[in-house]
Amino acid sequence: MNDDDRRMAVRDYLTPAHLLEFIDCPGDRQRTSWGALRFPAGGPTVTVRRLPGEPEPGRSARFTPTVGGFRYEIDAHDGVRSGFLSWGGDVHTVIRDRLTPVRYGALRQAVEAQAAHDAAFIPCPLPYRTPELWRDLFYADWSRERTCRSSDPTVHSTR
């Protein structure tokens, strides 16, 4: 595997929330334990395709969790390249080499914003993407209907 493969493997395997958790682990032993809990050995193989603008665009890459890390394999134009990345050594090195205080702050902010969005989700009959859609497509009609009912003295509230 080359450096691009290692970088792409780490970037594609970890979600932003997982990346933040991993970065916040205090040492290699904790990073290895963290990886064993989140991605247990023998877990499912995940396949992704590299996007335009990435090294070897359109090529298929696979991640297989193993003890202490994961195996990364890419179907490159010159044959299959693969390698093992350990949580405490390889993955941490790739992240540490690219992490800056500004990137860490942006990552933390993005993860917290996503968590706040998830916490504010209101279950409803349809997946409304924004509060404005919720108001315009569901709440306004329901509110108008309830107002009409409550102005009729023969209709009693069910509350």
Side-chain angles (χ1 to χ4, degrees):
M1 278 195 327
N2 60 36
D3 287 340
D4 282 339
D5 292 339
R6 285 181 189 81
R7 186 175 47 81
M8 296 298 297
V10 171
R11 190 202 73 185
D12 288 344
Y13 197 59
L14 299 173
T15 66
H18 283 151
L19 178 59
L20 185 61
E21 286 178 26
F22 182 82
I23 291 169
D24 289 342
C25 288
D28 287 349
R29 179 176 292 158
Q30 290 84 357
R31 289 182 192 97
T32 301
S33 297
W34 178 90
L37 290 173
R38 301 308 175 295
F39 306 98
T45 296
V46 176
T47 302
V48 298
R49 191 166 298 281
R50 288 194 176 172
L51 302 173
E54 296 176 346
E56 306 213 33
R59 298 296 177 163
S60 184
R62 287 173 297 288
F63 305 88
T64 306
T66 61
V67 175
F70 59 92
R71 176 159 292 289
Y72 180 74
E73 200 173 87
I74 180 162
D75 297 328
H77 67 279
D78 57 350
V80 175
R81 288 193 308 265
S82 69
F84 171 78
L85 285 92
S86 66
W87 291 114
D90 303 317
V91 174
H92 180 247
T93 300
V94 168
I95 293 169
R96 185 194 65 221
D97 289 349
R98 298 191 50 81
L99 189 65
T100 65
V102 172
R103 286 180 175 164
Y104 178 79
L107 175 63
R108 179 163 289 287
Q109 185 178 18
V111 169
E112 289 171 357
Q114 182 63 45
H117 173 77
D118 292 346
F121 176 74
I122 301 169
C124 59
L126 294 174
Y128 297 106
R129 298 184 102 162
T130 66
E132 292 78 19
L133 283 174
W134 165 258
R135 183 191 66 237
D136 295 344
L137 298 177
F138 180 75
Y139 180 74
D141 289 340
W142 174 85
S143 179
R144 207 173 3 264
E145 181 181 321
R146 293 293 288 176
T147 303
C148 292
R149 281 191 200 170
S150 63
S151 64
D152 183 351
T154 61
V155 176
H156 301 287
S157 175
T158 58
R159 289 188 188 201

